[in-house]
Amino acid sequence: MEVFTKKVILLTIAVIVITFLVSFSKFGVLKAALLAVALAVAAIPEGLPAVTTIALALGTREMANRNALVRRLKIIESVGSLDVICTDKTGTLTEGKMKVKDFWFLEENEKAKEISLKVCYYCNNSKQILKGDKLVWIGDETEIALKEYAKFFVIEEGERLEEVSFSSERMMMSVVHKFSSETLILTKGAPEVVIKKCNKILLKDGVKKLTEEMKKKILEKNSEFASKGIRVLALAYKQTKEKFEKEDIEKDLTFVSLVLLLDLPRKDVKEAIEECYSAGIRVIMITGDNTETARAIAEMVGLKSTGVVSGDELDKMSDEELKKVLDSNVNIFARASPFHKLRILEILKKEGLRVGMTGDGVNDSLALKKADVGIAMGVKGSEVAKEASDIILLDDNFSSIRNAVKEGRKIFENIRKFVLYLFSSNIAEVFIVLFFSLLSPFLILLPIHLLWINLVTDGLPAISLANDVPRKDIMKGKAKIKIFDRRDVIFILSMGSLLSFLIIFEYFILSFKSQEEIRAVVFSSFVIFEMFKVFIVQNFEGSLSFENLKKNKMLLISMISTILLQIFLVYFLYRYFDIVPLGLYNWIIITGLGFVLFVVGILVSRLVNKLKF
């Protein structure tokens, strides 16, 4: 808008100077100055700030209704023109409602089952609280699923003595828990991480040495389950004394089992990803899950990728190597940390791409802040992540990001419609005034006429375009990032020329009795022609349809109001505007030429859209 405004100011100065010089010798200093200033007012789209603000405000309301809460108004411009969306998996692409499906044991036995349930219940920070008259779970979805499953089997509470917290870097959590008869270290985490901390395994015959062959079988099972989209955690334990060294907690553990959790993809995510691809938006999944689970979920939701890169592999890459991986269309990053997110974001931004980044944790805040559009999770997101974000998803759903992109594109397009509508009129006004200043001995359009045209056409009809519904194919192809491109300029010049030609044609074919009648016809023609032009601008980039007009009732009402205001002015306020009331024949000619403008304008818009630059 800043670049656009500077161009408008230069254009307006040129209009003032040229108009004054052309009309000075014929009409004198005062009339020439009034005409030049009036034309300058006509040339400036003073309704543009109002239209922009209204479009953004209506857009944010619509986004909120569709579960995307916009925290910064100006971000809507960016969200509509995203090139890449980097998204989490759990809760965003999937439902985020974990359920324990089963346990897997190398050798199933009662002791292993008992210990597995204890790990699920005690190595866990989720809890139930009373909210109103209902008990609700709070905490991580995975931990909620584990505790909800285990609570029916575990009775003894005991006392927690120590905790080694989970982190995205460690990929595991351990607690030291004192029971009435024993003190146990209970551990859960990523199988490939936990297995490295184990040197024993709980079998039917008791605790045995964990061999390399056993480790291999456990990890193969982990990959098998993960390839089916099942989330897998390894459970381990060991006995300890009440007095222990903290650094020894996660050493020499005993492997117990794998717990299998199911988190199905959201129903509407596949369609949302397809629509993003159609819009030229790349989707990258960055998840803490293992490579097989990430690949399986990606296949389920239709996320395309030439491969999967793990966090360990990413750590070993230089920025140049990571750039090559991204250029090769690898779109799945597994076992990734928030710092991996930041690296990926920085590489993409160096390529000049506009990137949207999702996140929910405290450590995600830096990536959210640096992204062109930071998107925090409203349900499971931390307050720090929400504060760093531009948009908060109220339902944590990827589809809501797609809806936000769609709304952003709609807003940008509606502002463009307003500009196309207004400037094609302004060019016609300037051309008509200059033409008749040279040809006519008197002023065809007085300053008051220009200001009235500007008021009624820049008023409700133009502002109502801010509320226009999006065209059906708005998510097809890359988003426009300039308010004007060459096609827009050609369309504005073509429509301005067409409008000017029809008014000049009207001047020569009609027999006028007085200069007041000429003014009345030219003046009214401008207003009526503008109402026909609304249809042309609405259908500039889509197929001819009146559906948009039906859906935008505000625009329809404003067009009818504008026509009624003009008729009222012509018959009741004509003395104040130095015109005379028009006869039926004049209205028929004006309306007929309006239809000509509409038909030719639609053809021009189709030809302009076929141009290749």
Side-chain angles (χ1 to χ4, degrees):
M1 294 309 300
E2 286 175 7
V3 172
F4 175 69
T5 304
K6 286 174 185 175
K7 290 178 181 178
V8 171
I9 290 167
L10 292 173
L11 179 67
T12 305
I13 292 169
V15 166
I16 291 173
V17 172
I18 294 168
T19 305
F20 183 80
L21 292 174
V22 168
S23 54
F24 168 71
S25 58
K26 194 176 271 190
F27 305 116
V29 175
L30 183 60
K31 280 191 176 180
L34 281 172
L35 188 62
V37 171
L39 260 184
V41 172
I44 294 170
E46 64 276 359
L48 191 55
V51 169
T52 304
T53 307
I54 290 167
L56 293 173
L58 291 172
T60 55
R61 186 182 68 179
E62 183 62 27
M63 285 185 188
N65 290 338
R66 301 180 77 176
N67 296 311
L69 184 66
V70 177
R71 296 185 67 247
R72 297 181 179 91
L73 203 61
K74 65 178 182 179
I75 208 65
I76 293 172
E77 179 186 358
S78 300
V79 77
S81 58
L82 286 176
D83 298 306
V84 184
I85 297 172
C86 295
T87 177
D88 295 322
K89 178 189 76 66
T90 305
T92 308
L93 298 178
T94 62
E95 290 177 352
K97 294 174 183 175
M98 291 283 184
K99 294 288 179 188
V100 174
K101 186 185 179 190
D102 206 352
F103 291 98
W104 178 86
F105 306 91
L106 192 63
E107 286 182 10
E108 191 171 334
N109 61 88
E110 287 304 314
K111 179 70 174 173
K113 284 183 182 178
E114 180 193 331
I115 296 293
S116 294
L117 290 166
K118 280 185 174 179
V119 177
C120 290
Y121 191 84
Y122 296 110
C123 186
N124 195 312
N125 287 325
S126 66
K127 59 184 177 182
Q128 279 185 304
I129 61 166
L130 194 64
K131 199 172 185 180
D133 57 349
K134 288 183 180 179
L135 279 172
V136 294
W137 285 99
I138 59 168
D140 178 77
E141 285 293 336
T142 303
E143 292 198 332
I144 290 170
L146 293 173
K147 189 170 265 190
E148 201 167 21
Y149 182 84
K151 71 177 182 178
F152 298 107
F153 306 99
V154 178
I155 299 170
E156 185 185 3
E157 281 298 326
E159 179 191 356
R160 182 181 290 188
L161 302 178
E162 188 63 73
E163 176 186 338
V164 184
S165 300
F166 174 88
S167 74
S168 53
E169 290 76 36
R170 287 174 12 85
M171 293 288 184
M172 63 187 293
M173 172 188 177
S174 298
V175 297
V176 182
H177 207 91
K178 181 185 176 185
F179 297 94
S180 57
S181 58
E182 59 184 347
T183 301
L184 296 177
I185 291 169
L186 306 171
T187 298
K188 73 174 190 296
E192 61 269 31
V193 176
V194 172
I195 206 79
K196 290 176 184 177
K197 305 283 185 180
C198 297
N199 60 3
K200 294 182 282 293
I201 184 168
L202 182 57
L203 301 174
K204 284 181 182 178
D205 299 332
V207 176
K208 303 290 180 184
K209 184 183 177 184
L210 182 64
T211 64
E212 289 301 318
E213 190 179 335
M214 288 175 179
K215 284 185 180 181
K216 186 181 177 184
K217 188 171 182 181
I218 292 165
L219 292 173
E220 282 174 355
K221 271 291 172 186
N222 172 46
S223 296
E224 182 187 322
F225 293 130
S227 66
K228 296 173 183 175
I230 297 169
R231 188 170 189 187
V232 186
L233 292 176
L235 308 180
Y237 85 111
K238 76 173 177 181
Q239 289 187 324
T240 189
K241 297 175 182 177
E242 284 189 43
K243 290 184 178 180
F244 54 86
E245 296 294 330
K246 191 171 180 179
E247 57 268 20
D248 294 333
I249 289 175
E250 292 180 335
K251 288 180 181 177
D252 303 327
L253 298 173
T254 301
F255 177 83
V256 184
S257 65
L258 298 176
V259 60
L260 315 179
L261 299 111
L262 212 53
D263 182 19
L264 295 172
R266 291 180 182 267
K267 292 177 183 177
D268 49 356
V269 161
K270 190 170 185 177
E271 181 193 336
I273 288 176
E274 284 174 3
E275 205 164 349
C276 285
Y277 287 150
S278 173
I281 300 169
R282 180 180 178 182
V283 181
I284 296 176
M285 179 202 292
I286 306 173
T287 176
D289 281 351
N290 72 30
T291 55
E292 295 301 325
T293 305
R295 185 185 277 113
I297 294 296
E299 285 176 9
M300 289 181 197
V301 299
L303 193 150
K304 299 168 187 173
S305 180
T306 56
V308 184
V309 172
S310 70
D312 288 341
E313 291 171 325
L314 205 151
D315 285 332
K316 294 170 186 173
M317 291 179 188
S318 66
D319 285 353
E320 193 59 40
E321 287 170 328
L322 178 55
K323 180 182 175 298
K324 286 177 182 177
V325 165
L326 288 165
D327 288 344
S328 66
N329 214 30
V330 170
N331 295 320
I332 305 172
F333 294 86
R335 290 288 186 234
S337 72
F339 302 103
H340 293 141
K341 277 186 177 182
L342 189 60
R343 262 194 86 191
I344 292 164
L345 171 69
E346 286 172 344
I347 298 293
L348 291 168
K349 289 199 73 174
K350 280 179 185 176
E351 294 290 294
L353 299 171
R354 292 175 182 80
V355 185
M357 176 69 74
T358 69
D360 55 13
V362 172
N363 290 338
D364 288 329
S365 58
L366 194 56
L368 292 174
K369 201 82 176 169
K370 285 196 171 185
D372 294 286
V373 181
I375 305 162
M377 302 297 113
V379 178
K380 64 175 183 175
S382 66
E383 288 304 313
V384 176
K386 290 175 187 177
E387 279 299 315
S389 69
D390 303 301
I391 293 174
I392 299 172
L393 298 186
L394 302 178
D395 58 354
D396 292 7
N397 191 342
F398 182 86
S399 298
S400 298
I401 304 174
R402 180 272 315 268
N403 295 338
V405 171
K406 197 171 186 176
E407 195 63 29
R409 287 192 172 195
K410 183 193 94 171
I411 291 164
F412 189 81
E413 190 164 283
N414 285 350
I415 293 169
R416 279 185 62 247
K417 283 179 185 177
F418 173 82
V419 171
L420 294 175
Y421 171 75
L422 202 63
F423 268 78
S424 52
S425 306
N426 292 354
I427 281 176
E429 287 173 34
V430 171
F431 188 79
I432 288 295
V433 168
L434 291 176
F435 179 84
F436 283 113
S437 295
L438 295 170
L439 186 76
S440 173
F442 57 89
L443 283 173
I444 294 290
L445 287 175
L446 300 174
I448 194 171
H449 299 147
L450 292 169
L451 296 174
W452 174 263
I453 292 166
N454 223 31
L455 175 68
V456 296
T457 59
D458 287 16
L460 286 175
I463 290 173
S464 300
L465 283 171
N467 196 35
D468 218 18
V469 295
R471 54 189 166 86
K472 290 178 182 177
D473 61 346
I474 198 165
M475 287 291 280
K476 286 186 179 176
K478 285 271 188 183
K480 288 192 174 183
I481 57 171
K482 289 183 179 180
I483 202 82
F484 271 167
D485 62 17
R486 289 183 183 180
R487 288 185 186 86
D488 296 335
V489 173
I490 292 169
F491 175 78
I492 287 169
L493 293 173
S494 302
M495 290 308 301
S497 301
L498 178 61
L499 207 154
S500 302
F501 172 78
L502 290 174
I503 288 174
I504 293 166
F505 177 72
E506 198 174 43
Y507 174 78
F508 285 110
I509 63 163
L510 289 174
S511 299
F512 298 109
K513 295 175 183 176
S514 64
Q515 66 183 43
E516 287 79 13
E517 187 182 0
I518 297 172
R519 284 197 186 113
V521 169
V522 172
F523 176 38
S524 298
S525 295
F526 255 113
V527 175
I528 302 302
F529 287 179
E530 286 301 289
M531 298 307 100
F532 280 97
K533 191 150 64 67
V534 169
F535 295 108
I536 302 167
V537 171
Q538 264 197 327
N539 294 281
F540 176 48
E541 290 190 315
S543 55
L544 180 60
S545 170
F546 293 100
E547 284 301 310
N548 280 14
L549 190 64
K550 289 178 186 176
K551 290 174 183 175
N552 191 346
K553 290 178 182 176
M554 184 181 169
L555 179 59
L556 194 59
I557 291 167
S558 66
M559 287 170 66
I560 293 167
S561 301
T562 299
I563 292 168
L564 291 175
L565 273 171
Q566 185 64 22
I567 292 169
F568 180 81
L569 182 150
V570 168
Y571 290 103
F572 296 98
L573 302 175
Y574 60 90
R575 289 187 183 89
Y576 302 103
F577 285 80
D578 206 8
I579 58 173
V580 293
L582 294 174
L584 181 61
Y585 177 70
N586 287 330
W587 285 117
I588 291 170
I589 293 295
I590 290 169
T591 307
L593 288 174
F595 276 108
V596 172
L597 175 74
F598 171 70
V599 173
V600 178
I602 291 292
L603 291 172
V604 167
S605 65
R606 294 295 166 270
L607 289 170
V608 169
N609 270 310
K610 286 181 180 179
L611 293 173
K612 292 180 181 179
F613 294 102

